[in-house]
Amino acid sequence: MCFSIRKGKPRYFNGTKNIRQREFLCSKEGFKIDEDACEEKNWKKLETRTGCKAFIRFTLENDVWRVTAFNPEHNYELALPSERHLLRSGRRISKPKAGLIDSIVNAGIRTKNTYLYLTEEVGGSENVGFTEKDCYNHVRRPKMSCSQELLELHKSGTNSWLGAK
């Protein structure tokens, strides 16, 4: 059985930036805080938090990390091992795969076909390590940063990319 995690807020030694304690929580811990209950939203997003209390806490004692608290009890049904690749904390695009995606997309092949190629190479989507949406986000990210740079240049009133001010 599988579940996704997220990092809790670190606790520091007094007056320093050295971490003395760190918690890893179940991703369904707590409840989402509504920004403005009066404001009507255009779409309803599913509530994923269930108030789960599962966590593990590590504390640094004499330069050794020790488990100081642990609660393994979840209040929801855990994901099956066959669904593990869909859990957010387990999805990552490795540098080699990112380079391969960039090369294939730059060669003019669509992102969807790039993801299909990767799934065929590794024996299925459960072995890729990320979802098709993650692949689209990876391809879109450099375009967004370039657009953001142009927008900032335009806002500042400089045309340095033209060689003029």
Side-chain angles (χ1 to χ4, degrees):
M1 296 301 185
C2 309
F3 64 97
S4 194
I5 63 163
R6 59 191 171 93
K7 292 191 254 183
K9 292 183 180 177
R11 292 183 176 88
Y12 299 94
F13 287 107
N14 289 338
T16 69
K17 293 186 178 183
N18 297 330
I19 297 175
R20 71 173 169 85
Q21 196 172 74
R22 172 64 96 170
E23 286 183 347
F24 293 91
L25 314 163
C26 175
S27 64
K28 294 188 176 198
E29 182 268 339
F31 294 98
K32 191 169 184 175
I33 300 169
D34 288 333
E35 291 85 31
D36 188 2
C38 298
E39 188 177 311
E40 190 172 324
K41 303 209 169 143
N42 293 338
W43 66 89
K44 300 271 187 211
K45 195 172 181 181
L46 287 175
E47 182 59 53
T48 58
R49 303 251 183 120
T50 64
C52 184
K53 300 289 185 195
F55 75 97
I56 187 166
R57 181 181 302 139
F58 296 95
T59 304
L60 186 62
E61 298 171 356
N62 301 323
D63 293 332
V64 176
W65 287 99
R66 301 197 189 281
V67 175
T68 53
F70 176 61
N71 181 2
E73 300 299 319
H74 294 271
N75 65 356
Y76 63 95
E77 190 173 325
L78 300 177
L80 298 173
S82 61
E83 301 168 332
R84 187 179 69 202
H85 66 285
L86 301 173
L87 297 174
R88 186 175 179 200
S89 65
R91 296 186 339 234
R92 295 281 179 269
I93 298 179
S94 65
K95 286 185 180 184
K97 286 182 183 172
L100 182 61
I101 291 168
D102 294 338
S103 297
I104 294 172
V105 169
N106 289 337
I109 297 176
R110 293 177 174 227
T111 306
K112 180 173 188 69
N113 293 335
T114 301
Y115 183 76
L116 289 174
Y117 168 76
L118 287 169
T119 60
E120 289 292 319
E121 281 293 307
V122 297
S125 61
E126 63 276 1
N127 299 326
V128 175
F130 52 90
T131 64
E132 187 174 346
K133 179 74 172 174
D134 295 331
C135 189
Y136 273 97
N137 289 341
H138 171 77
V139 169
R140 198 179 99 223
R141 193 167 290 124
K143 294 177 186 175
M144 293 298 287
S145 64
C146 183
S147 304
Q148 195 67 28
E149 288 174 18
L150 287 173
L151 183 63
E152 291 300 319
L153 283 172
H154 180 71
K155 283 182 179 177
S156 67
T158 62
N159 292 329
S160 59
W161 52 279
L162 291 175
K165 286 191 176 186

